[in-house]
Structures are given as C-alpha cells and as structure tokens.
Amino acid sequence: MLKELQSVEQSHGRTSSEWASAQCDLGNLLFNSDQFDRAAECFRDACAHPPVGDSAAFKNFLTYRLNLGMALLMAGRLDEAEAELRRNLREREEFYGREHPGYAYALEQLADVLIRRGELAQARQAAEEAVGIFWEAGHERVAGAMALRAEIVLASGGGDAVFPGLDQLPDEIVELIVLTVTARVRQVPATARPVLTHLAATLESHLGPDHQATLKAFAELANSGHDSGDQTGRVEAIEKLLASYDRQGRAEDALMAVLGLAVAQDAAGDVDGSLKTYEQALARADGIGRHDLRAQVLRNWGLALSSAGRPAEAEQRLRAAVTEAGLSGDDELLGRARIALGLFLQHEERLDEARELVEAGLTTLDVAHPEAIQGRGHLGAIMAGRSCGCGDTREAIAQAFREFVIGRLPHDLLAELEVTLDGGDFQIGVQLVREPTEDELKQLNAVFESATAEFRGRLAAAG
C-alpha cells in the first residue's frame, strides 16, 4: 500500500482525489489491523484537500472524514473524534440534508462517541434521530442505530422500551442488531453486555427459542460470559442453546454445546458436574458414531480429569483419544491428542514416553498451530529433564517462526536463518546461498510478512 501511495503521488500529486483515495485505502488497512493512530493520520491526509465542483469526489471526502472520526474514537482520542464528527455532520447536512441516511451515518458515530464520554442525553438525541432517519428510509443501518439507542436506554436506567418496534423488522435486520450488539460487547462490555442479555430474552419471547437470531444471541451471551467472568450466565446461555439443538435434532451442534457446558461448569467451580457432562458428551458422540468427535470428547475429558487430580482415569481417556484420532484420519486432531497425552505424561514424570508423543504430535500439526507451539515449548523442558516449568513459550514461537519460513521457501535458497525476539517483536537474520531471482525475492518477502502476521498474535498472547 505504501508503494501504491507513492506511485499515485508521483502520477497525480498530493492534492488529487486519486491520492486521497489511496490514503483512505491505506487507512482502512491500518484500521483493520488495529493501528488506529496511524489510520487516523492517513484519513486526516485524505481530508486535507476538499474537492470542489465534483459531487462524486466530495461524497468520498465525506467518507474520509467519517473514517477519521471513527479511527480517533477507536484510538481513545474522544475530544478529537467528537470535533471531526460534528464537522462531518455539518458537511453532510449541507450536502445531503437532515432526512437523508448519509446524514444519519455521522449521527450514529457521534452517538457512539458521546456514549463513551458519558454524555448520555446528547447521545440519546443523536441515536434517536439516526434511528428515525434509517427507519423511514428502510435502511439496514437502522440495526446499528437501534443497538446504540438500546445501550443508552439501559445505561440511563430509565423505564423506556429498549427495543421498540423490534417485531416489525425483517429477520435479516434483527440478526444485524445481534451482530452489532455483539461487536459492542467486545468494545465496551460494561454498557453493552446488559443490552445483549436483554436482547436475548426479548428474541426468545418474540421470535421463539429456536429462531436463528435467538440462538445467535445466546451463543454470543455464552462467549461474553467467558470473557466477563460471568460463569453462571454462561452456563445458563449454553443450556438454552443445548435445549434448542436437541429440539431440532441438531446432534453435532448439541454435542459442541455439551462440551462448552462442561468447560463452563468447571470454570464456575462445579467440577463434579463438569465431569458428568463430559460423560454425557461421550454418549452423544457414540450415538453419532464418528471417530473424530469421540477423540475430541475424550481428549477434553482427559484434560479435565487430570486437572481434577484423577490421573489414572485421565490417562485412560487421553490414550483412547489418540486411538480415536488415529482412526479418524484427521492429522490435526491426532497431533493435538498426542501432544495432550505427552504433556500429561511429562507432568507425571514419564519423560521418555512424553518426548516420543510430543515429537510425534508435532509431525502432524502445522508449525503455526497454537498447540504445536505449546508442544514445542514443553519439549524443551522434557529434553532438559524437567517434568514441569514447561519450557520457554517465547523461544518456541521464535522456533516455529523459523520452521514456518523454511518450509515455504526453495530448499537451496537459505544458508542460515536466525530468528530472535527483542521485546515484543521478531529480529530476523538471513544468509542466502545464492542471489535470488526476482520471483524468489518476492516470495521471500511475502513469506516473512506472512510469518510476522501469523506469529505476532501468538507472541502477544504469550506475554
């Protein structure tokens, strides 16, 4: 994108609409990579030269300004975000008029900023106006505006209806509301999770417990319960899903729900209930009759038994999981089952068996797989004769990065590849056997970029 931007600048100049469009494209890439401050500067540059006398170009300019406000919002720069969005609102009013959805776009984003600033009265006014405009136009963006309005109503503690007119909307708009609320829960859980709880109950009442939108809401409620630590709410949401899947005869979905329920029960402190649920899960997998499902249940059950201090039963389940995974023909599942059993045996101080299993597991997993990285980190501890301590995860990530690159390049190209960690990023040293061709150089750059993108997240998770 930087090369493209430079090319456009050379061809059209920094004041051209083409250059502004390229800045916006780069800003969008950075925004979607969570680099909000950098994205904001790109959008600001895109807004530097408002076009005159070109309606289509000015529409794009209005989008760039809106994007600038959104990037500043996500960067936490709320004062600047509000100023840019209010300016955008004035520009849109002059261009579109106050009844046009194009005007409501900025109203919706302004409401979001005001919610986060605690200006609930002003946020309510902006959200209500946006809902009204989108509703009259029959525009799908009514979903986002209604989600924001609901958040404001609940945060304000008033007795107003949270989702008025929900039963008048088509299913696809209702599902968009669920998606919007879900995204909000990840961004601002304190104010948005009560909306999701209310929405799930409302959909269950209005659309029925088996409607797809209802199930989506309860699934997201279960996920957010994990993130927020509300294990009781998580268990209740999964039980709703399980009951629906059983009513509909969706056996595999029900099995996945049972596995999720067992994890939630364990997290809630109900260890005995969790282990009984795993037993029920195995019975369901037996009924479906697939080796891969049996392997997944047995692996998870074995790990839970190990955590509960029941090693003999844990080993039995984990060994059965390896057998079932082998029969399934699923190499990834087999690798995960072997590594799970290997790590269990490591902690039981049976290091020779542990090493054999972890090494075998690594042969069938992609080097970037999280459990391959975990296994590689533990393997270092096993080879050092340690039953715990579990190795250096960061070093394992660096080694996985190296293997990822080597496995994707011509075998006669690299003489040496050194990957080390410096703080929160990778330092790479490369020596080549020969001069690469132009295509090989492009491949080399692409592989390193892919590896960096793949493993930065793993590195952040490892701390």
Side-chain angles (χ1 to χ4, degrees), residues 318-375:
L318 291 170
R319 289 193 180 281
V322 172
T323 300
E324 292 290 336
L327 293 171
S328 75
D330 186 328
D331 286 344
E332 179 182 326
L333 187 59
L334 178 59
R336 294 176 63 215
R338 283 171 168 167
I339 287 175
L341 177 57
L343 302 193
F344 166 80
L345 292 172
Q346 176 195 10
H347 294 129
E348 291 295 303
E349 301 187 7
R350 294 154 64 181
L351 300 185
D352 290 339
E353 294 176 85
R355 177 177 178 175
E356 182 180 344
L357 279 159
V358 173
E359 287 179 338
L362 292 173
T363 64
T364 61
L365 283 179
D366 187 279
V367 295
H369 195 287
E371 292 182 41
I373 293 172
Q374 181 188 32

Side-chain angles (χ1 to χ4, degrees), residues 224-375:
S224 69
H226 171 270
D227 296 336
S228 67
D230 179 11
Q231 303 302 339
T232 300
R234 183 183 175 196
V235 167
E236 291 173 355
I238 296 173
E239 288 175 339
K240 296 271 190 182
L241 291 169
L242 176 58
S244 176
Y245 294 148
D246 280 339
R247 283 193 297 269
Q248 298 177 67
R250 295 167 58 175
E252 289 183 35
D253 289 331
L255 175 58
M256 294 301 108
V258 171
L259 287 176
L261 178 60
V263 173
Q265 288 171 322
D266 183 69
D270 184 8
V271 176
D272 290 340
S274 172
L275 295 177
K276 289 178 182 176
T277 300
Y278 279 118
E279 186 174 0
Q280 295 166 13
L282 184 60
R284 287 175 179 266
D286 288 342
I288 296 171
R290 279 176 39 192
H291 293 295
D292 59 329
L293 297 178
R294 283 179 52 82
Q296 188 171 347
V297 172
L298 286 162
R299 173 188 173 279
N300 292 7
W301 191 5
L303 293 173
L305 285 163
S306 177
S307 296
R310 294 161 64 171
E313 296 167 86
E315 182 174 352
Q316 181 186 24
R317 303 301 188 279
L318 291 170
R319 289 193 180 281
V322 172
T323 300
E324 292 290 336
L327 293 171
S328 75
D330 186 328
D331 286 344
E332 179 182 326
L333 187 59
L334 178 59
R336 294 176 63 215
R338 283 171 168 167
I339 287 175
L341 177 57
L343 302 193
F344 166 80
L345 292 172
Q346 176 195 10
H347 294 129
E348 291 295 303
E349 301 187 7
R350 294 154 64 181
L351 300 185
D352 290 339
E353 294 176 85
R355 177 177 178 175
E356 182 180 344
L357 279 159
V358 173
E359 287 179 338
L362 292 173
T363 64
T364 61
L365 283 179
D366 187 279
V367 295
H369 195 287
E371 292 182 41
I373 293 172
Q374 181 188 32

Side-chain angles (χ1 to χ4, degrees), residues 409-428:
L409 290 176
H411 295 302
D412 64 340
L413 184 58
L414 288 180
E416 186 176 335
L417 173 62
E418 182 180 2
V419 181
T420 58
L421 290 168
D422 182 8
D425 214 341
F426 298 96
Q427 300 297 317
I428 302 163

Side-chain angles (χ1 to χ4, degrees), residues 135-272:
W135 188 286
E136 287 299 317
H139 199 288
E140 67 176 13
R141 286 288 288 264
V142 72
M146 288 184 69
L148 285 175
R149 179 196 175 278
E151 193 173 318
I152 298 163
V153 169
L154 286 177
S156 301
D160 294 344
V162 179
F163 285 104
L166 191 69
D167 54 351
Q168 301 175 42
L169 294 172
D171 285 357
E172 57 267 25
I173 299 299
V174 174
E175 291 179 14
L176 280 176
I177 293 175
V178 176
L179 291 174
T180 303
V181 172
T182 298
R184 297 285 300 172
V185 169
R186 298 190 186 106
Q187 295 171 9
V188 282
T191 55
R193 192 162 191 275
V195 179
L196 183 57
T197 302
H198 190 283
L199 179 59
T202 301
L203 294 176
E204 184 179 26
S205 173
H206 284 66
L207 300 181
D210 299 332
H211 193 281
Q212 188 58 38
T214 305
L215 296 177
K216 177 68 175 173
F218 277 115
E220 295 299 338
L221 195 58
N223 291 336
S224 69
H226 171 270
D227 296 336
S228 67
D230 179 11
Q231 303 302 339
T232 300
R234 183 183 175 196
V235 167
E236 291 173 355
I238 296 173
E239 288 175 339
K240 296 271 190 182
L241 291 169
L242 176 58
S244 176
Y245 294 148
D246 280 339
R247 283 193 297 269
Q248 298 177 67
R250 295 167 58 175
E252 289 183 35
D253 289 331
L255 175 58
M256 294 301 108
V258 171
L259 287 176
L261 178 60
V263 173
Q265 288 171 322
D266 183 69
D270 184 8
V271 176
D272 290 340

Side-chain angles (χ1 to χ4, degrees), residues 26 43-44 55 63 66 103 115 126 153 170 184 206 216 224 237 288 348 359 361 370-371 378 386 410 445 449 458 461:
L26 178 57
F43 295 135
R44 196 185 301 280
S55 178
T63 299
L66 184 66
Y103 177 74
I115 290 171
V153 169
R184 297 285 300 172
H206 284 66
K216 177 68 175 173
S224 69
I288 296 171
E348 291 295 303
E359 287 179 338
E371 292 182 41
H378 282 70
R386 300 199 305 271
N445 289 331
E449 289 172 3
R458 309 270 191 261

